[in-house]
Amino acid sequence: VQLQASGGGLVQAGGSLRLSCAASGRTFSTYRMGWFRQAPGKERESVAAINWSGGGAYYSYYADSVKGRFTISRDNAKNTVYLQMNSLKPEDTAVYYCAASSPTRVGPTLAVSLYDYWGRGTLVTVSS
């Protein structure tokens, strides 16, 4: 699976951005997809993930810091996962990465270690 993230940029606090992640691979629909971020001098942390539970249902998970502000979604026909970010804060400034996890992997959906495939990041800068 190859991943390409895009959509980062500079935005003022309170603004919005939508990140996109295009994935290759014919089994994209079954992969767990996640967004993670890494701020300068900090460890990579989870932001959101979307899991395939079988039977066509997907479930979304969010870090507490972004709940109510960010929304993860996917379009399997386009092999793309999105992260809609609203009410952005300066502390959201980071490089954002999308990642994919095989459905055979078992573990907490937001765990960084669960993800096998990573794209290059896209920088999001939120000014105060």
Side-chain angles (χ1 to χ4, degrees):
V1 177
Q2 292 185 323
L3 305 169
Q4 180 64 53
S6 61
L10 174 64
V11 63
Q12 288 188 332
S16 299
L17 279 176
R18 189 176 81 155
L19 304 183
S20 299
C21 177
S24 64
R26 292 176 291 179
T27 57
F28 171 78
S29 63
T30 65
Y31 273 66
R32 182 188 296 111
M33 300 298 297
W35 285 98
F36 300 81
R37 66 187 182 187
Q38 188 165 17
K42 295 187 177 181
E43 292 186 354
R44 190 168 298 189
E45 64 177 7
S46 60
V47 175
I50 186 164
N51 212 357
W52 180 70
S53 67
Y58 289 91
Y59 295 96
S60 302
Y61 303 81
Y62 297 93
D64 288 343
S65 59
V66 306
K67 279 181 182 176
R69 299 188 299 121
F70 291 10
T71 303
I72 188 171
S73 62
R74 63 194 297 161
D75 184 338
N76 291 334
K78 296 182 179 180
N79 275 17
T80 301
V81 63
Y82 303 98
L83 184 69
Q84 178 65 44
M85 305 186 294
N86 299 328
S87 302
L88 283 161
K89 305 174 181 180
E91 51 264 43
D92 294 319
T93 295
V95 176
Y96 283 71
Y97 299 88
C98 65
S101 174
S102 167
T104 60
R105 295 291 303 274
V106 177
T109 302
L110 289 174
V112 173
S113 60
L114 195 65
Y115 290 78
D116 311 293
Y117 305 96
W118 292 82
R120 291 187 177 183
T122 184
L123 177 62
V124 172
T125 304
V126 184
S127 62
S128 57

